Amino acid sequence: MVYPKDFEAKVGFHKIRDLLSGYCISSMGRDTVASLAFSDDYGHIRQSLDQVSQFRQLINHHSGFPAQDYLDLRHCLRKLSLDGATISLEDLHHLNISLKTITAVLRFLKSLDPEHYLELVSLTRDKSGWEGHIHHADGLIDSRGQILPHASPLLQEITAKIFKLEKGLSAMVQQSLSSARKAGQAPENSEITVRNGRLVIPVLASQKRKIKGFIHDESSSGQTIYLEPEAAYETNNEIRKLRNAREQEIKRLLTLFTKTIRPDIHHMIHDYQWLGTIDAIRSKALLAIELEASKPQLEDKPLADWQNAIHPLLYLAYKGTNKQVVPLNIRLDSRQRILIISGPNAGGKSVCLKTTGLLQYMLQCGLLIPVNPRSRCGIFHQLFIDIGDEQSLEDDLSTYSSHLRNIKHFIHHTCSRSMFLLDEMGSGTEPQMGGAIAEACLESLYNKGGFGVVTTHYANLKLLPERYEAMENGAMLFDQKKLVPRFILKTGQPGNSFAFEIAENTGLPREVMEEARKKAGTTQLDFEKQLQSLEQEQSELNKKEYELGLADQLLAESVEKYHALCRDMEKDKKQILEQAKEEAKSIIRESNKLIENTIREIKEKQAEKQATQQARKKLEVGSHHIISKNRNNTPAVERDMGEKNKPGNKTTAKGKPLKSKPLINVVGKEKQAPDRPLPGNISKGDTVRIRGQKATGEVLFISGGKAGILAGYLKMEIPAEKLEKVAPSPSSIPKASHTHSAIINSIQERAESFSTVLDLRGIRAEEAEKKLTQFMDDAILTGNYDLRIIHGKGDGILRKVVRKHLDGISQVTRYGDAHVERGGQGVTLVTLK
């Protein structure tokens, strides 16, 4: 039940109904939309929402759905159900094409996958189409609705005779006209015409007695008459008889067709109404697409837990402009049944109230609503609203009296599954008395278990949530610096009316405002100041809470990265140790074998001096070969990392050969270019460091004003102006190695923490470009190739910024919009080389 009778007009649903009607193809669909009504049947509402949601999915992912020739033949069929009625050719044509539409829609819906379109497929249950009647009609008429010459053997015979006689008649009359023109009895360039269904020739009125025939008509000037030649008279009569016979045969065929369909007319009418239902569901889906509406989570209990709820009519009004509707977060449940909203005038309180009423009404009429899909929606058995001026001259009611009458109805009918919406409760009479009555009424509604949204300026209503657990205050926020409303609903605290601030901003004289403050008294002013202070403190608290949340998130990510890095390092350590053990065993095996061979040769030569020297020399060469071979071997863990460049014969501070190569190669393949000295007399082989840092490295090559640096296990390419030459020291290598390990860890952490998705929504273009620059640099450094940039649709400003920036990056192979279901023009997909 809804109250009052004009509930739809008060919340704006009549405009939603008009939009739905505009999307309909047929009068049947418009009739279905006109009959849409509020329902509290959970199963019916869920089914309706599923149908609309699935049809929206069908529109987005399928093409070819039949959307034409939705003709309404219900009235015609009701007439044909009467005995003796015969369908006309025109109605037969319309019936034929509309039955084809019904059959095509049935066939299309039946072809859908029931797993994804269960509710739409269920609509086709117990329906089979009208192929038999369609085949019958196709045998009678062509695609333009004209009777086919071969619709029956008799009709075919009559048609052939008419054609033959008309052909001979045409030749006969043409000959008469030619003779009359030659004799000067007919106007020049005159042609055969038809009068009263008979072929005639135009003849000059002065010559009419010279030609035998029958006059059928004359021109408006009276100078020309239209005469049927005497020779054509009998043929014309014969043709007329045949045409009458043809009409009788056509009527017989149409009567037969009517008798054939008469037993099925009731089912046909039902199918036309079904087609209207399909049309209405389609219109709901199109409106949902236009509003970007969603199917929320539906529960069979009184509930309204909405996230990012938007007033649909405001959204459509602002669409295509620079204005945006501020979304609302509204929660009404068993722990918070009544929300009392306060705040400045024109701050959005009434819009919030209407949004609540309109969205709940749309939902219970089976429409998707513009809220976040994670929102939870329930079912109410009654919806009540009291908003606006309902002064009645006929009933001798004032505005305040009409409000009281509405509230009386609410109190008498409210139950635990009712939603009431009260705008400016208690207004319209003396403030103190009005506030007291409003408080008592609201307490009564609370005690009856009702759910509601109330807007007010009264302080006593703002204090009610302190006494009642299931009441909650809400404030429409106000920019105290600019003195303009922000249209943001903040729950948990009452709102300030900012009456004095708004009055001063309108330009009222200062002395008037001072006098007003004196008359208002300190109590009310202190209360308003406390509200302002609470709003400021709440804003600061929210900011700190947000910053702490970010810090906790960052800390958690850092700890996780640390543990992951430790696990990776432990794994690498085990692999390297195993590799080293295998290399050591190989050296020992080959060395023992070489020593044994040398001893055997010395024994065979009986320790001759020359032979002994040769054996020792051979042993020395062999040992160098073994060490060199094992030095050039690459550990398995390094092969897995894809390293291709070898660092050369480097040694540690103790002079031991390094057996491994760099784990990370930043510069890639070394460039072969002339080794020209850099500024600061830096040459190949020098020890250098980055200005401002302690870590040092060796210059491997110089090219194009840059130097390839080997620092521990890291190879990198650094611009010359960032380097400075330092004296090598034995202790520098371990320090560099330690620092470079930190650099390696930093790069690895960056690669692990890098997200291939960048969200730029809600920030300025300048800030977005900075974030985009950092994001693309990190993506190129870490080797990520498929990226997703979310910028939203809006006015397309961020989209243009992103596309312009990507055009200037040579590593970008291509970019474009995402799939319509995954963001469409609001998301740019990027592929790097």
Side-chain angles (χ1 to χ4, degrees):
M1 179 179 71
V2 295
Y3 179 87
K5 293 181 179 179
D6 59 348
F7 182 96
E8 291 190 3
K10 287 185 176 295
V11 298
F13 185 78
H14 63 297
K15 295 181 180 179
I16 297 294
R17 200 186 291 272
D18 289 342
L19 290 171
L20 288 172
S21 295
Y23 283 120
C24 288
I25 305 171
S26 67
S27 59
M28 301 170 294
R30 288 187 284 274
D31 289 344
T32 304
V33 167
S35 65
L36 276 180
F38 174 84
S39 171
D40 57 12
D41 185 334
Y42 171 78
H44 173 72
I45 295 171
R46 173 174 286 281
Q47 183 182 52
S48 297
L49 295 178
D50 287 341
Q51 288 171 352
V52 179
S53 179
Q54 291 172 20
F55 209 107
R56 180 179 60 180
Q57 184 179 349
L58 182 152
I59 292 172
N60 289 332
H61 296 90
H62 294 269
S63 60
F65 179 80
Q68 60 183 8
D69 295 330
Y70 282 46
L71 305 180
D72 187 359
L73 269 291
R74 292 175 296 176
H75 181 68
C76 171
L77 289 171
R78 291 189 185 100
K79 287 184 177 180
L80 296 178
S81 64
L82 302 175
D83 289 337
T86 300
I87 193 170
S88 66
L89 268 178
E90 181 182 7
D91 287 341
L92 174 60
H93 176 55
H94 292 162
L95 180 69
N96 190 29
I97 60 177
S98 55
L99 288 181
K100 286 179 179 178
T101 297
I102 292 173
T103 304
V105 171
L106 276 170
R107 190 180 299 117
F108 188 97
L109 294 180
K110 285 185 176 182
S111 69
L112 297 174
D113 181 4
E115 184 177 351
H116 298 98
Y117 300 97
L118 178 60
E119 291 300 332
L120 294 184
V121 174
S122 298
L123 288 170
T124 66
R125 192 179 295 121
D126 301 328
K127 293 187 180 298
S128 57
W130 300 100
E131 285 85 354
H133 293 320
I134 291 171
H135 180 73
H136 189 176
D138 284 340
L140 296 177
I141 56 175
D142 59 19
S143 60
R144 296 172 299 170
Q146 300 298 316
I147 195 76
L148 292 171
H150 53 273
S152 73
L154 178 56
L155 184 64
Q156 187 172 11
E157 179 183 350
I158 293 172
T159 303
K161 287 181 179 179
I162 291 174
F163 178 78
K164 183 177 180 181
L165 288 175
E166 285 181 341
K167 185 176 180 182
L169 177 65
S170 178
M172 185 188 305
V173 175
Q174 185 64 47
Q175 184 179 359
S176 297
L177 178 62
S178 298
S179 300
R181 281 202 300 255
K182 288 180 181 178
Q185 298 167 346
E188 298 227 1
N189 301 322
S190 57
E191 297 292 340
I192 297 173
T193 186
V194 177
R195 289 292 187 274
N196 301 321
R198 303 170 81 94
L199 292 180
V200 296
I201 61 174
V203 177
L204 296 174
S206 59
Q207 303 292 321
K208 63 182 179 180
R209 297 186 182 279
K210 296 182 180 180
I211 302 177
K212 293 182 179 182
F214 304 92
I215 299 174
H216 288 275
D217 198 4
E218 67 177 14
S219 65
S220 57
S221 63
Q223 295 182 359
T224 304
I225 63 165
Y226 295 95
L227 181 141
E228 178 185 7
E230 183 179 33
Y233 181 75
E234 291 299 329
T235 305
N236 263 327
N237 285 343
E238 184 64 24
I239 291 174
R240 172 166 287 187
K241 290 179 182 179
L242 289 172
R243 284 177 178 167
N244 288 336
R246 181 174 179 272
E247 291 300 321
Q248 290 300 316
E249 177 62 9
I250 291 173
K251 185 176 181 180
R252 185 187 71 82
L253 294 173
L254 295 178
T255 302
L256 179 62
F257 178 84
T258 305
K259 289 181 180 180
T260 304
I261 68 169
R262 187 168 285 128
D264 295 325
I265 283 180
H266 175 73
H267 297 292
M268 282 186 181
I269 293 174
H270 187 270
D271 277 6
Y272 277 94
Q273 292 169 343
W274 175 86
L275 187 62
T277 300
I278 299 297
D279 192 11
I281 295 172
R282 176 180 173 274
S283 72
K284 291 180 183 179
L286 291 173
L287 179 63
I289 293 172
E290 181 72 13
L291 294 176
E292 298 186 22
S294 305
K295 186 186 78 170
Q297 302 173 27
L298 190 67
E299 301 182 24
D300 190 11
K301 62 181 180 180
L303 170 70
D305 186 4
W306 301 342
Q307 302 173 29
N308 297 330
I310 291 177
H311 194 291
L313 298 178
L314 278 181
Y315 173 79
L316 294 178
Y318 291 169
K319 203 169 186 179
T321 69
N322 294 327
K323 294 183 179 180
Q324 290 187 343
V325 182
V326 179
L328 300 170
N329 295 327
I330 298 173
R331 181 169 63 89
L332 298 176
D333 55 23
S334 58
R335 292 176 296 178
Q336 181 182 304
R337 290 190 286 110
I338 297 178
L339 178 63
I340 302 173
I341 303 176
S342 49
N345 287 321
K349 299 190 300 298
S350 296
V351 172
C352 180
L353 196 81
K354 289 184 177 181
T355 300
T356 305
L358 178 57
L359 294 188
Q360 187 65 40
Y361 193 80
M362 287 175 62
L363 180 81
Q364 295 192 228
C365 286
L367 297 174
L368 304 186
I369 56 177
V371 297
N372 188 296
R374 293 189 297 272
S375 300
R376 298 164 60 223
C377 296
I379 307 298
F380 293 92
H381 292 174
Q382 294 94 21
L383 288 183
F384 306 137
I385 191 170
D386 178 58
I387 188 171
D389 184 357
E390 293 187 1
Q391 185 176 17
S392 173
L393 297 177
E394 294 81 3
D395 297 334
D396 194 23
L397 289 176
S398 66
T399 300
Y400 183 63
S401 297
S402 68
H403 288 320
L404 290 180
R405 183 180 62 179
N406 289 338
I407 294 175
K408 180 187 73 172
H409 181 90
F410 297 175
I411 293 173
H412 286 166
H413 295 88
T414 291
C415 66
S416 61
R417 298 204 69 160
S418 301
M419 174 187 281
F420 56 86
L421 307 168
L422 290 163
D423 190 34
E424 300 294 351
M425 189 175 186
S427 63
T429 189
E430 194 276 325
Q432 187 173 358
M433 300 301 177
I437 294 173
E439 182 177 343
C441 292
L442 191 56
E443 288 175 336
S444 176
L445 293 171
Y446 177 87
N447 293 331
K448 286 179 173 290
F451 293 71
V453 178
V454 177
T455 68
T456 187
H457 288 287
Y458 289 150
N460 63 317
L461 297 186
K462 299 177 186 179
L463 297 175
L464 280 177
E466 296 181 5
R467 305 202 309 267
Y468 296 96
E469 183 179 359
M471 284 191 187
E472 184 71 70
N473 268 311
M476 300 306 298
L477 300 185
F478 190 79
D479 191 326
Q480 299 182 40
K481 294 181 179 180
K482 298 179 181 179
L483 294 178
V484 293
R486 297 171 60 190
F487 304 107
I488 298 174
L489 174 63
K490 179 69 176 178
T491 58
Q493 65 184 42
N496 189 339
S497 297
F498 293 97
F500 285 98
E501 289 80 0
I502 294 174
E504 287 176 343
N505 192 46
T506 61
L508 283 178
R510 181 180 300 176
E511 60 273 15
V512 173
M513 295 308 304
E514 292 298 329
E515 187 64 24
R517 284 189 172 89
K518 292 177 184 179
K519 292 180 179 295
T522 59
T523 303
Q524 182 64 28
L525 291 178
D526 288 343
F527 181 72
E528 297 292 337
K529 288 180 180 179
Q530 288 176 6
L531 286 180
Q532 292 185 34
S533 177
L534 280 174
E535 288 183 9
Q536 292 176 351
E537 291 176 3
Q538 184 68 37
S539 177
E540 291 295 326
L541 184 61
N542 291 340
K543 183 178 179 181
K544 293 295 182 183
E545 184 180 0
Y546 176 72
E547 292 174 353
L548 285 174
L550 290 179
D552 287 344
Q553 183 180 357
L554 181 61
L555 178 61
E557 291 176 356
S558 300
V559 170
E560 177 60 30
K561 292 175 185 176
Y562 170 76
H563 288 309
L565 183 58
C566 288
R567 290 193 295 269
D568 291 343
M569 290 179 64
E570 188 65 28
K571 181 180 178 181
D572 292 346
K573 175 183 175 182
K574 290 180 181 179
Q575 291 179 345
I576 292 172
L577 287 175
E578 290 296 327
Q579 182 69 25
K581 287 179 182 179
E582 290 298 322
E583 291 180 0
K585 289 178 182 179
S586 175
I587 291 174
I588 292 172
R589 285 195 300 269
E590 294 186 25
S591 297
N592 287 338
K593 185 177 179 181
L594 181 61
I595 291 171
E596 290 173 359
N597 290 337
T598 303
I599 294 173
R600 186 178 66 251
E601 289 181 8
I602 292 174
K603 286 181 179 180
E604 290 175 355
K605 299 295 183 177
Q606 296 181 355
E608 294 180 0
K609 184 177 181 181
Q610 184 176 0
T612 301
Q613 289 178 349
Q614 290 177 351
R616 287 180 176 175
K617 187 173 181 181
K618 186 176 181 182
L619 177 61
E620 183 179 354
V621 172
S623 64
H624 282 299
H625 175 70
I626 292 171
I627 293 173
S628 176
K629 181 178 70 174
N630 283 280
R631 177 186 300 161
N632 291 331
N633 285 340
T634 302
V637 65
E638 296 175 10
R639 289 197 302 271
D640 293 340
M641 296 183 69
E643 184 65 28
K644 295 182 180 180
N645 297 322
K646 297 181 180 180
N649 295 326
K650 296 293 295 179
T651 60
T652 66
K654 296 182 179 180
K656 295 181 179 180
L658 288 172
K659 297 183 180 180
S660 61
K661 60 185 179 180
L663 294 176
I664 296 179
N665 185 355
V666 176
V667 299
K669 196 170 183 180
E670 296 182 3
K671 301 177 181 179
Q672 302 299 324
D675 296 334
R676 299 175 182 173
L678 295 173
N681 293 322
I682 297 175
S683 303
K684 181 178 179 182
D686 287 345
T687 301
V688 295
R689 67 183 177 192
I690 300 175
R691 297 182 186 276
Q693 296 187 13
K694 295 181 179 181
T696 62
E698 180 184 354
V699 178
L700 296 180
F701 64 88
I702 298 170
S703 176
K706 294 183 179 180
I709 307 300
L710 174 64
Y713 291 109
L714 181 67
K715 291 171 71 177
M716 63 187 78
E717 192 174 69
I718 307 293
E721 62 270 13
K722 295 185 178 181
L723 299 175
E724 60 181 357
K725 186 175 180 181
V726 297
S729 63
S731 61
S732 64
I733 297 176
K735 290 181 181 178
S737 177
H738 178 73
T739 303
H740 298 149
S741 296
I743 296 173
I744 294 169
N745 292 342
S746 175
I747 295 175
Q748 289 176 340
E749 286 180 358
R750 183 179 294 184
E752 291 170 355
S753 64
F754 179 80
S755 172
T756 58
V757 179
L758 175 62
D759 193 344
L760 300 176
R761 292 175 293 182
I763 62 177
R764 296 181 177 178
E766 183 177 350
E767 184 181 354
E769 191 164 12
K770 291 180 181 179
K771 286 191 175 184
L772 182 59
T773 300
Q774 183 65 45
F775 175 75
M776 295 303 298
D777 290 344
D778 288 350
I780 294 169
L781 176 63
T782 56
N784 286 278
Y785 305 109
D786 296 319
L787 310 175
R788 181 181 176 90
I789 302 172
I790 304 173
H791 42 68
K793 298 178 182 177
D795 297 329
I797 296 175
L798 286 180
R799 184 173 184 267
K800 293 178 181 177
V801 169
V802 169
R803 299 297 175 91
K804 183 177 180 181
H805 187 85
L806 293 176
D807 287 336
I809 300 176
S810 59
Q811 287 87 347
V812 174
T813 302
R814 63 178 179 273
Y815 62 79
D817 293 336
H819 190 276
V820 123
E821 191 179 16
R822 300 180 180 177
Q825 294 184 350
V827 176
T828 295
L829 302 180
V830 184
T831 302
L832 301 181
K833 294 180 181 178

